[in-house]
Amino acid sequence: MKTLVYIDHFKGEVQPASWEALGLGKSLGSVSAIIFGSGIDAIAKSASEYGAAEVLVADDPALTDYRAEPYASTLSALASSQSPDLILFPTTARTRELAAMAAVDLNTGVLTDVTGLEANADAIVAIRPIYEGKLLEKTICSTKPVMVTIRTRAFPKPEADVSKSGTSTKVEVKSDALTTVEGYSASESAVNLGDAGVIVSGGRGVSNNPSLQPPAGMDEKQAELWRAQQGFALVTELASVLGGAVGASRAAVDAGYIPYSHQVGQTGKVVTPDLYIACGISGAIQHLVGMRNAKLVVAINKDSDAPIFKQARYGVVGDLFQIVPALTEAFRKKLGK
Ligand SMILES: Cc1cc2nc3c(=O)[nH]c(=O)nc-3n(C[C@H](O)[C@H](O)[C@H](O)COP(=O)(O)OP(=O)(O)OC[C@H]3O[C@@H](n4cnc5c(N)ncnc54)[C@H](O)[C@@H]3O)c2cc1C
């Protein structure tokens, strides 16, 4: 089986699931990494360290910024010359577009957001969740190359071996582009829940501490938001001690406690951290579909009948305003922070 793995990066910062894709490719046989951009020697070196036998590099000023036309044309030409059985990508906004455009050129199909892959003599079978994760679908693509984007954290990341160096091969660049990138500005609410190994999430319960007295002059809604701020400060502190990210339920987002980019669930992000701590979240099905694939779920809730406890390995029945600071303190001591 010949596999190419597209290493997705933004200004040299590699999307971690690229290495997970490389590890998956390696488990299937011979694997080459594909890297596009300019000044990308360091990424090529990392790709060898993560297990690529060969690194196919398109290093050209025309590829400095991701744009669909030159990237897809370069990828299509490369795939035509290499005739791989499989091309793997991490699932990102860029790769969804890139894989789709290249698949049109190559007259093949793309299987997106894949969480399992089986390769046998007859076919490559991709497994992916459908209907909000209620069913797992097995799909095959009858044309080659099979193009697959994998879900972040669905496959193990290989260990890097810094002593390894692979061969680097230059790739012909197709530089025709209809657009130029003029610049970037950082989004204020950039939250990367997809890559987080630990997520501590807050729900409507984070505003429920009647003993907290808001500053004088606040109306009821302002007081609720002020209390939610205090609650989310505790959630954020725990997340920070654990080196994790902050998530939220939709109720917390809709009430204005925290921006939408933190929302986990059916209409938010689907996450697969190693550890998910739900604070003051009831566990509605629309929230569960976003986090039920977490390896370990811990729930903190006042109500012992809250459905979240059915999903949790460990549950603490109690007031999050007492439990969360106590947990933070305990982890701080344990982790020496
Ligand atoms: C089409 C659709 C899409 C949706 N998409 C999403 C989605 O993507 N994500 C999502 O989360 N929801 C989604 N929802 C909403 C979902 O149905 C729930 O309304 C929402 O998840 C509830 O959020 P919550 O658990 O924070 O709030 P609640 O259900 O109000 O629960 C709050 C919990 O906090 C506990 N609590 C209160 N005070 C404390 C305290 N001091 N200490 C400890 N515990 C306390 C309570 O016991 C309760 O269990 C969607 C709904 C629909 C209809």
Side-chain angles (χ1 to χ4, degrees):
M1 159 99 58
K2 182 171 178 179
T3 305
L4 302 183
V5 176
Y6 179 81
I7 308 297
D8 189 43
H9 68 98
F10 177 70
K11 291 185 175 295
E13 195 177 315
V14 175
Q15 217 296 322
S18 302
W19 305 135
E20 294 155 18
L22 202 54
L24 171 63
K26 216 176 149 205
S27 71
L28 301 171
S30 138
V31 65
S32 301
I34 306 170
I35 307 171
F36 296 171
S38 76
I40 46 179
D41 291 352
I43 306 177
K45 184 169 181 308
S46 299
S48 302
E49 291 171 2
Y50 277 108
E54 184 188 22
V55 185
L56 303 162
V57 180
D59 193 335
D60 191 285
L63 301 181
T64 302
D65 297 296
Y66 168 78
R67 278 159 312 145
E69 310 96 328
Y71 270 60
S73 307
T74 304
L75 179 61
S76 306
L78 173 64
S80 299
S81 68
Q82 293 272 329
S83 307
D85 300 293
L86 172 67
I87 307 181
L88 291 172
F89 306 76
T91 303
T92 66
R94 285 185 294 269
T95 61
R96 278 177 192 273
E97 181 182 55
L98 171 62
M101 279 183 77
V104 171
D105 289 343
L106 297 166
N107 199 23
T108 189
V110 186
L111 303 170
T112 55
D113 216 18
V114 166
T115 55
L117 203 72
E118 294 161 4
N120 56 45
D122 304 322
I124 295 166
V125 183
I127 300 160
R128 55 188 192 152
I130 56 169
Y131 297 116
E132 306 297 349
K134 287 192 191 70
L135 291 179
L136 291 177
E137 175 188 68
K138 286 191 169 184
T139 322
I140 58 166
C141 175
S142 52
T143 48
K144 285 210 173 156
V146 178
M147 298 177 81
V148 168
T149 79
I150 63 156
R151 184 178 279 192
T152 301
R153 298 178 60 81
F155 297 91
K157 184 177 169 190
E159 287 291 319
D161 178 350
V162 288
S163 66
K164 280 213 170 145
S165 58
T167 58
S168 187
T169 308
K170 276 195 160 211
V171 168
E172 192 193 337
V173 174
K174 306 278 179 192
S175 58
D176 46 321
L178 301 173
T179 54
T180 50
V181 177
E182 300 250 299
Y184 297 95
S185 56
S187 152
E188 272 177 28
S189 56
V191 182
N192 202 349
L193 291 175
D195 294 336
V198 175
I199 296 176
V200 185
S201 280
R204 206 194 313 259
V206 298
S207 65
N208 185 25
N209 185 351
S211 66
L212 274 178
Q213 276 312 311
M218 283 189 173
D219 64 24
E220 214 173 296
K221 182 64 190 173
Q222 287 168 329
E224 178 191 342
L225 289 175
W226 181 84
R227 287 199 179 96
Q229 247 175 29
Q230 318 307 309
F232 264 112
L234 301 178
V235 168
T236 304
E237 206 181 347
L238 177 55
S240 129
V241 166
L242 294 172
V246 174
S249 72
R250 177 163 161 179
V253 171
D254 287 352
Y257 300 169
I258 189 163
Y260 167 73
S261 51
H262 294 266
Q263 185 178 316
V264 172
Q266 185 183 326
T267 43
K269 301 235 171 62
V270 174
V271 297
T272 48
D274 296 323
L275 172 62
Y276 188 88
I277 306 181
C279 310
I281 293 178
S282 59
I285 182 64
Q286 296 89 354
H287 188 79
L288 298 184
V289 297
M291 44 63 77
R292 66 177 157 205
N293 288 324
K295 291 205 180 92
L296 180 73
V297 176
V298 176
I300 301 164
N301 199 301
K302 270 179 143 174
D303 174 6
S304 60
D305 292 327
I308 190 76
F309 286 123
K310 292 205 180 86
Q311 199 67 36
R313 173 103 59 93
Y314 300 104
V316 185
V317 179
D319 186 345
L320 72 90
F321 284 85
Q322 290 169 4
I323 311 294
V324 174
L327 260 184
T328 305
E329 203 40 45
F331 278 122
R332 219 191 275 285
K333 277 197 189 125
K334 180 101 186 142
L335 301 171
K337 288 190 173 175

